[in-house]
């Protein structure tokens, strides 16, 4: 996830910038949290943070003050649900490279499906948040099994309990995960199997490279 966002996206792409923001916020909270027991280490780390404009030090800038904007209803459940499906997927290909597969997730219409749609608006994507979590080269989100699914396909079934609003909203949802070897070639830039040829970058990387040339 970090590799794709930090090293494969364009420098000013919102995905890359949002990743940097999260890392910066996490570092700030971690440093402030261990400052009382490791004061010298915390102060040294704080002084070397390149984007900090103040020089008062970690002990003069207050305690942890996380913004309420980070708390988004349903986001935690969406990530946990996606991680549960990822575990099902990785368990079905134990010991193999997840990037060599495409994943099909089937969820009946309901709350869990809506949460997954928040992570992937398109039916099929290789760059969505859901696909990044799944660690595959491509993820497809469907509400029913595709008609061309082979009878001998390895379909992993699972359930996930959604608990929102302090328990006021509870829903047990089932899902199916199908892992299939992907037919595309390995992109020489992002290492995902999303290219038409092993000697040519995938469409996403070509777009990023073209944007980089245009800004120089």
């Amino acid at each position: 996830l970090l590799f794709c966002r930090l090293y494969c996206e364009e420098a000013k792409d919102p995905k890359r910038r949002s990743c940097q923001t999260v890392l910066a916020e996490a570092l700030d909270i971690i440093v402030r949290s261990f400052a009382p027991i490791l004061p010298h280490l915390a102060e040294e780390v704080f002084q070397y943070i390149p984007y900090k404009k103040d020089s008062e030090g970690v002990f003069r800038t207050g305690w942890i003050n996380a913004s309420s904007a980070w708390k988004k209803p349903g986001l935690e459940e969406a990530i946990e649900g996606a991680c549960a499906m990822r575990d099902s997927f990785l368990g079905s290909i134990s010991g193999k490279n997840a990037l060599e597969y495409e994943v099909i997730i089937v969820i009946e219409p309901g709350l869990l499906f809506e949460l997954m749609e928040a992570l992937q608006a398109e039916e099929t994507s290789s760059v969505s948040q859901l696909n990044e979590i799944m660690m595959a080269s491509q993820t497809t989100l469907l509400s029913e099994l595709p008609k061309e699914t082979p009878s001998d396909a390895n379909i992993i079934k699972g359930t996930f309990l959604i608990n929102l609003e302090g328990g006021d909203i509870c829903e047990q949802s089932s899902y199916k995960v199908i892992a299939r070897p992907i037919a595309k070639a390995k992109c020489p830039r992002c290492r995902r199997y999303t290219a038409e040829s092993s000697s040519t970058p995938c469409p996403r990387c070509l777009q990023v490279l073209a944007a980089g040339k245009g800004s120089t």
Side-chain angles (χ1 to χ4, degrees), residues 93-130:
I93 60 163
S94 181
K96 298 179 181 178
N97 183 3
L99 288 175
E100 295 179 359
Y101 289 82
E102 62 174 322
V103 177
I104 299 174
I105 299 173
V106 181
I107 309 171
E108 292 184 358
L111 186 54
L112 182 59
F113 187 85
E114 292 175 4
L115 290 175
M116 293 306 105
E117 277 190 317
L119 300 177
Q120 178 169 303
E122 309 88 351
E123 183 176 284
T124 299
S125 177
S126 61
V127 297
S128 68
Q129 295 181 69
L130 179 58

Side-chain angles (χ1 to χ4, degrees), residues 32-166:
R32 293 181 192 277
S33 65
F34 69 63
I37 56 175
L38 295 170
H40 297 293
L41 176 60
E43 188 64 36
E44 184 175 5
V45 172
F46 201 80
Q47 293 298 329
Y48 277 92
I49 295 177
Y51 48 83
K52 287 290 184 185
K53 296 182 179 180
D54 55 70
S55 58
E56 293 183 347
V58 65
F59 293 101
R60 293 181 178 271
T61 53
W63 184 235
I64 297 170
N65 185 25
S67 171
S68 60
W70 293 99
K71 185 63 177 178
K72 294 185 178 180
L75 180 60
E76 182 178 354
E77 288 72 17
I79 299 299
E80 289 180 350
C83 288
M85 297 174 200
R86 179 193 62 195
D87 292 344
S88 297
F89 160 56
L90 295 178
S92 70
I93 60 163
S94 181
K96 298 179 181 178
N97 183 3
L99 288 175
E100 295 179 359
Y101 289 82
E102 62 174 322
V103 177
I104 299 174
I105 299 173
V106 181
I107 309 171
E108 292 184 358
L111 186 54
L112 182 59
F113 187 85
E114 292 175 4
L115 290 175
M116 293 306 105
E117 277 190 317
L119 300 177
Q120 178 169 303
E122 309 88 351
E123 183 176 284
T124 299
S125 177
S126 61
V127 297
S128 68
Q129 295 181 69
L130 179 58
N131 186 67
E132 290 177 340
I133 294 171
M134 295 303 293
M135 300 169 62
S137 278
Q138 180 176 287
T139 297
T140 298
L141 179 63
L142 301 172
S143 58
E144 58 183 16
L145 281 173
K147 296 179 180 180
E148 67 273 13
T149 302
S151 58
D152 60 346
N154 182 21
I155 302 176
I156 305 96
K157 299 180 180 180
T159 59
F160 181 74
L161 177 62
I162 301 171
N163 193 333
L164 294 172
E165 304 296 334

Side-chain angles (χ1 to χ4, degrees), residues 187-200:
C187 173
R189 183 174 180 271
C190 69
R191 308 300 184 187
R192 292 184 184 274
Y193 288 77
T194 51
E196 298 301 325
S197 167
S198 58
S199 60
T200 305

